Every structure is written in structure tokens, then in C-alpha cells.
Amino acid sequence: AKALQSSTHMLVVPNSRCSIYSRIWCAYEAFLGYQQGKVIFTATAPISQVIRSVLLSTLISALSFALMYLLLLHLHIHIEEENVDNVRLVENVAIGLAICSLLMESIIQPGLSGKCCAATGAFGTGVYTAGNFYRAVHYVEDNWVMFTMGNAFLGLGACTSAAAAHMDNLYRLQAIEQARQLSEGYTGSLHDAKASFEIDRQAILNELDSSGVEEEVNEAI
């Protein structure tokens, strides 16, 4: 507690087995940090799957782009107004699916369903980008080339958003796990907290009882 007075920040390190706030000294020091206006950080473990998740999303977008582009080449779609409209329809469906999927990922509970939504978004953005790129390469009117190429770059930005959605899903999962660790075994009352030595526990409880801030401690934690 004395060391805390001379500090400006406080770091809370969760325990994977039980809440640190089930230990009376940890809970009391957290309250002191809150009461003294310290900047409190909660430590988090590094997420090992971030790079793999971004690479997976990028791979899905790249594969869907390649498949869509090769399919258009295989079908020998000529740039006629009717065929262009068909390609545009596919693009609009793809980007609509991607937007809906990415919005759903930000709303629903993170986990497998969130990963599926992010993957669907990556697929849709890849298809949308491929369609626009194909029209930009094969369309002969210069004004349409510039406009369509702009849409293709917009699709690349959407692919980046899909990768970010994959990362968001991982960070939200980590936040849920962190909240579980901090609340595991904590009843919400400092009276139920434990200590290695009962004399320390009683001393802290007596101090809180005499100061009348026990409810503030429970609320702060």
C-alpha cells in the first residue's frame, strides 16, 4: 500500500485458476488504487492466433478472388451490357453478403459463429474485388475503367476489414476469458475474501469497518 502511494499506474494480473479478488490483499490494493486515482491496467496474455487469423482471412479473400476471376475467364464473358449487368449482380450480392456478415460478427457472441461470419465476409469481399477487377481489365470505355478499378480497390479495403473482423473475434474472446478469470470465485463481498494469515484479513476488515468504505471497495472491484 505504501509503494502504491508513490506510483502513478497499477497493473492487475489475473489468475487463470481463481479471481485475484478472492484474496483480500489483492482486493484491498485494487480499491486503494481506485480511490487514489491511479491509472489501472489489466494484464493480458499475448494472442498467439492473431497472425494465423489474419493470414487465414487473407487466404480466403485471395482464393475467392482467384476462383471468381478464373470463372469469368473460363465462361468467356464478353463485355456486353447484358453480361456486365450479370457480373454487377454477382458483385452486389457478394458485397452485400460480406457487409451483413461483418456486421453480424460485431454483434453476435464471439466464437465459432463469429469466425464463420468473418470468413464469409472475406469470401464475399474477394468475389466483389474480382468482379470489379475483371470489368476494369476487359471493359473498353476509359471512364468505366477508372470507376471500376476504384471499386476494385474499395474491395481490397473490404478484404482488410474482413481480416480485422477475424482479429476482433479473437480479442473479444480474450476479453470474455479475462472477465471470467477476474470473477471466478469472487462473491462480490470483501468479507468473503481469504488471506494466508487470518490476522491480516481481520486487520483489513476492521479498517474498512471503521472507515465505512466497505461498500465502496465492493463497488470499485
Side-chain angles (χ1 to χ4, degrees):
K2 291 183 178 180
L4 185 62
Q5 293 178 353
S6 61
S7 67
T8 57
H9 296 72
M10 183 177 185
L11 180 64
V12 176
V13 182
N15 189 314
S16 60
R17 295 186 177 181
C18 66
S19 172
I20 58 173
Y21 299 132
S22 64
R23 308 298 297 179
I24 197 166
W25 269 112
C26 295
Y28 183 55
E29 289 176 353
F31 165 71
L32 290 178
Y34 172 81
Q35 188 183 52
Q36 296 172 18
K38 307 298 182 182
V39 179
I40 302 176
F41 293 102
T42 301
T44 57
I47 303 178
S48 59
Q49 299 178 349
V50 169
I51 296 179
R52 186 176 67 180
S53 180
V54 172
L55 290 176
L56 176 61
S57 178
T58 304
L59 179 62
I60 292 173
S61 295
L63 287 176
S64 61
F65 175 94
L67 289 174
M68 178 64 176
Y69 195 82
L70 291 175
L71 178 62
L72 293 174
L73 289 176
H74 178 71
L75 295 176
H76 301 291
I77 293 182
H78 300 289
I79 303 304
E80 299 171 356
E81 193 60 37
E82 180 181 355
N83 290 329
V84 169
D85 289 340
N86 291 334
V87 175
R88 285 176 183 157
L89 177 61
V90 174
E91 293 169 8
N92 291 334
V93 171
I95 196 63
L97 177 64
I99 291 174
C100 291
S101 298
L102 296 179
L103 287 175
M104 284 294 295
E105 189 281 332
S106 65
I107 296 173
I108 63 176
Q109 191 77 1
L112 180 59
S113 56
K115 291 180 180 179
C116 291
C117 286
T120 303
F123 176 82
T125 55
V127 171
Y128 173 80
T129 306
N132 277 282
F133 188 74
Y134 180 88
R135 288 195 293 117
V137 171
H138 295 277
Y139 209 93
V140 294
E141 296 184 20
D142 291 338
N143 57 331
W144 278 104
V145 170
M146 296 301 298
F147 176 78
T148 310
M149 188 60 76
N151 283 344
F153 281 107
L154 178 64
L156 290 176
C159 293
T160 304
S161 298
H166 270 279
M167 292 179 59
D168 176 68
N169 185 70
L170 290 177
Y171 282 113
R172 289 167 65 201
L173 282 173
Q174 185 190 55
I176 291 174
E177 175 61 19
Q178 185 182 76
R180 184 197 66 77
Q181 292 176 357
L182 290 173
S183 61
E184 185 79 22
Y186 178 65
T187 64
S189 174
L190 199 63
H191 266 284
D192 298 325
K194 301 176 182 179
S196 300
F197 299 98
E198 183 62 22
I199 189 173
D200 290 341
R201 180 175 179 277
Q202 289 300 326
I204 291 175
L205 291 176
N206 290 337
E207 179 183 341
L208 293 175
D209 287 338
S210 61
S211 63
V213 296
E214 182 179 347
E215 287 304 317
E216 292 184 40
V217 176
N218 293 331
E219 182 179 353
I221 295 174

